[in-house]
Amino acid sequence: MASSSSNNFENLDKVLDDRFEQVYDQAFDHISAAHADRQQARKPRKKRVHIERNREDGHIRLWNDYFSEDATYPPHLFRRRFRMNKALFMRITDRLSNEILFFQQRRDATGRFGLSAIQKCTAAIRMMAYGRAADAFDEYLRISETTTMQCLVNFVEGVINLFGDEYLRRPTPEDLQRLLDIGELRGFPGMIGSIDCMHWEWKNCPTAWKGQYTRGSGKSTIILEAVASHDLWIWHTFFGPPGTLNDINVLDRSPVFDDILQGHAPKVNYFVNGREYHLAYYLTDGIYPKWATFIQSIRIPQDPKASLFATYQEAVRKDVERAFGVLQSRFAIVKNPDLVHDKETIGKIMRACIILHNMIVKDERDGYRQLDPTEFAQVETHRTSHVDSTFSTDRPSNVNNLMTILSKPKEVRSQEKHQQLKDDLVENIWQKFATNQYYN
């Protein structure tokens, strides 16, 4: 009886083992078949293709075309395609290659030299000048798309860090005195520039931000506020407000009067029509408020004096419009819709373009004459506008200075002083320029 029971258990174990092996084999075959089907359905993974661009040949060709002693293209074509003279471009390139690691030519693991600083700077300046895609210059410069974008980002950051303090700064007392002298020569004593805003279209604005940055035209834009002088030098920039704002809303956020309100601006004195004033002003269009620091045109002049004033004010105020036009024509990247997604990078590009614009203005303004030097010398000998170079711009240390600073906002926004200054300027323009037969 015991032996028969053990035999039954052994037969049962054998049956269970056989059944388990059968189920296991079926499941394994099913899993293997499904895996094989997935492998067949999966697309083959693309491998990165190495393109031998012969970057050395690109450097040699670029050097022979523009930088050798017997270059293929003359200086005027270099100026046209690089937007600046060769000496200025080489100055920027040398400074970047000496102080920024990215622009230094190094050897790779095989001992082969990488891209030269001239190639990298040329790729960046061509993108800024022509506003084209990153791979548009691959055939000539032998630089890939990703490397060209790295060149642009490092170039704008290098220009801002190395040249921003010198070429995008507040006017010094010497600069203010020169601006005041030129303003007096043009019939506007106390005028130190004109102010306005410009829109830059942001094509790849994030969807979540489109309602904030889209204006009536249906395009997303970012606003630039700037102050420019007669030679197109841009003295003040404020970039970043969304395009739905108007000039007044931008002014509320702008730091343009921070130095005056905090008592850090040099003290200015000038006379108009025999009356003394102490606040310099900007020429503006009609949207700006009637403050003591803004002078607008007369919209519908009713007499010859008002008509003559409107003519000269609108002509001089065009300085900032001309600066915007030259900036956009010089660097098409700020004229065409911007394709960058990152707003911080967009701000760096705009700031670098303005710095380069001022560098070009300083390099080339001696080559053309906008004002008669003899008239400018006469203004210096009979000037009525003065900048107190001994005025301290440090923070106030006593109660009187503090009270003076606290009263500055009210003085800047005074409509009474605005109207008084405007009436005196109308009379000054009439006495200075009403010499033709039309007004006589």
Side-chain angles (χ1 to χ4, degrees), residues 25-302:
D25 292 339
Q26 291 177 355
F28 182 79
D29 293 340
H30 179 73
I31 294 173
S32 299
H35 179 71
D37 294 340
R38 287 197 300 268
Q39 291 292 334
Q40 292 179 358
R42 182 180 297 174
K43 294 182 180 179
R45 184 177 180 180
K46 293 183 179 180
K47 296 183 179 180
R48 182 178 178 182
V49 179
H50 172 70
I51 301 177
E52 178 52 55
R53 288 182 167 81
N54 295 322
R55 53 179 175 266
E56 295 87 356
D57 294 341
H59 171 76
I60 294 173
R61 180 167 53 251
L62 179 63
W63 179 267
N64 292 333
D65 285 346
Y66 293 103
F67 299 97
S68 63
E69 294 183 358
D70 54 344
T72 304
Y73 298 103
H76 73 276
L77 287 181
F78 183 98
R79 169 64 180 79
R80 176 180 177 179
R81 294 168 182 172
F82 287 79
R83 302 299 195 260
M84 63 187 73
N85 293 324
K86 187 186 300 184
L88 178 58
F89 179 81
M90 292 304 300
R91 175 192 166 197
I92 297 173
T93 303
D94 293 341
R95 186 88 182 271
L96 291 173
S97 61
N98 290 332
E99 302 188 30
I100 297 181
L101 183 63
F102 177 82
F103 292 96
Q104 296 175 2
Q105 190 176 28
R106 294 166 292 170
R107 295 181 184 270
D108 58 15
T110 64
R112 182 181 176 186
F113 276 111
L115 295 167
S116 65
I118 293 178
Q119 284 175 287
K120 295 177 180 179
C121 292
T122 301
I125 204 69
R126 289 290 178 89
M127 278 195 67
M128 298 170 69
Y130 291 95
R132 299 178 63 183
D135 60 348
F137 312 102
D138 188 5
E139 295 88 347
Y140 180 69
L141 298 175
R142 300 298 181 181
I143 301 181
S144 65
E145 178 183 3
T146 55
T147 306
T148 302
M149 286 302 302
Q150 293 176 0
C151 293
L152 176 64
V153 173
N154 285 274
F155 183 83
V156 298
E157 290 180 352
V159 168
I160 293 172
N161 295 331
L162 299 180
F163 303 100
D165 293 339
E166 180 180 359
Y167 291 96
L168 192 56
R169 54 177 171 78
R170 296 281 187 177
T172 63
E174 293 76 14
D175 295 327
L176 279 177
Q177 186 63 66
R178 179 170 55 85
L179 293 175
L180 291 173
D181 290 342
I182 295 173
E184 187 170 352
L185 177 63
R186 303 172 80 184
F188 292 91
M191 187 268 295
I192 56 175
S194 53
I195 186 172
D196 204 355
C197 292
M198 180 189 82
H199 290 258
W200 185 11
E201 182 181 349
W202 189 5
K203 183 176 181 181
N204 290 335
C205 175
T207 304
W209 293 0
K210 282 187 177 295
Q212 182 181 4
Y213 285 84
T214 302
R215 52 191 313 209
S217 61
K219 299 178 181 179
S220 301
T221 60
I222 307 177
I223 298 178
L224 168 69
E225 180 192 69
V227 172
S229 56
H230 74 289
D231 57 357
L232 306 184
W233 183 287
I234 298 176
W235 292 103
H236 158 78
T237 60
F238 177 55
F239 181 76
T244 52
L245 303 181
N246 58 24
D247 293 7
I248 300 178
N249 304 137
V250 175
L251 179 65
D252 292 338
R253 306 183 180 191
S254 172
V256 64
F257 293 126
D258 283 359
D259 287 352
I260 297 177
L261 299 179
Q262 297 173 7
H264 297 168
K267 190 175 181 180
V268 175
N269 296 314
Y270 61 95
F271 290 86
V272 183
N273 196 28
R275 188 176 284 111
E276 185 177 7
Y277 294 92
H278 302 284
L279 277 179
Y281 59 89
Y282 302 109
L283 300 185
T284 68
D285 55 14
I287 193 173
Y288 281 86
K290 295 181 179 180
W291 291 357
T293 51
F294 293 141
I295 294 297
Q296 301 87 1
S297 177
I298 299 177
R299 185 176 180 182
I300 305 177
Q302 300 295 327

Side-chain angles (χ1 to χ4, degrees), residues 196-406:
D196 204 355
C197 292
M198 180 189 82
H199 290 258
W200 185 11
E201 182 181 349
W202 189 5
K203 183 176 181 181
N204 290 335
C205 175
T207 304
W209 293 0
K210 282 187 177 295
Q212 182 181 4
Y213 285 84
T214 302
R215 52 191 313 209
S217 61
K219 299 178 181 179
S220 301
T221 60
I222 307 177
I223 298 178
L224 168 69
E225 180 192 69
V227 172
S229 56
H230 74 289
D231 57 357
L232 306 184
W233 183 287
I234 298 176
W235 292 103
H236 158 78
T237 60
F238 177 55
F239 181 76
T244 52
L245 303 181
N246 58 24
D247 293 7
I248 300 178
N249 304 137
V250 175
L251 179 65
D252 292 338
R253 306 183 180 191
S254 172
V256 64
F257 293 126
D258 283 359
D259 287 352
I260 297 177
L261 299 179
Q262 297 173 7
H264 297 168
K267 190 175 181 180
V268 175
N269 296 314
Y270 61 95
F271 290 86
V272 183
N273 196 28
R275 188 176 284 111
E276 185 177 7
Y277 294 92
H278 302 284
L279 277 179
Y281 59 89
Y282 302 109
L283 300 185
T284 68
D285 55 14
I287 193 173
Y288 281 86
K290 295 181 179 180
W291 291 357
T293 51
F294 293 141
I295 294 297
Q296 301 87 1
S297 177
I298 299 177
R299 185 176 180 182
I300 305 177
Q302 300 295 327
D303 56 77
K305 288 185 178 182
S307 178
L308 183 63
F309 172 81
T311 300
Y312 276 86
Q313 194 277 347
E314 293 169 10
V316 176
R317 193 198 66 82
K318 291 297 182 182
D319 290 345
V320 66
E321 302 286 357
R322 291 170 47 236
F324 287 149
V326 171
L327 179 67
Q328 290 180 330
S329 62
R330 182 169 283 160
F331 300 107
I333 194 172
V334 301
K335 180 180 181 180
N336 300 335
D338 188 78
L339 304 178
V340 180
H341 296 80
D342 184 16
K343 185 179 177 182
E344 182 179 358
T345 303
I346 297 174
K348 291 180 180 179
I349 293 174
M350 174 62 79
R351 189 176 180 88
C353 288
I354 294 173
I355 293 172
L356 292 173
H357 167 83
N358 285 345
M359 295 178 72
I360 298 170
V361 168
K362 182 178 180 180
D363 182 62
E364 299 180 356
R365 64 184 171 191
D366 293 335
Y368 53 85
R369 179 181 300 175
Q370 290 185 324
L371 299 173
D372 189 352
T374 59
E375 295 182 2
F376 189 72
Q378 293 176 2
V379 171
E380 290 183 348
T381 56
H382 301 88
R383 66 165 54 118
T384 61
S385 306
H386 299 276
V387 177
D388 187 2
S389 58
T390 62
F391 179 73
S392 176
T393 59
D394 297 334
R395 293 189 179 275
S397 56
N398 54 55
V399 178
N400 292 332
N401 288 339
L402 181 59
M403 294 302 296
T404 302
I405 291 178
L406 292 176

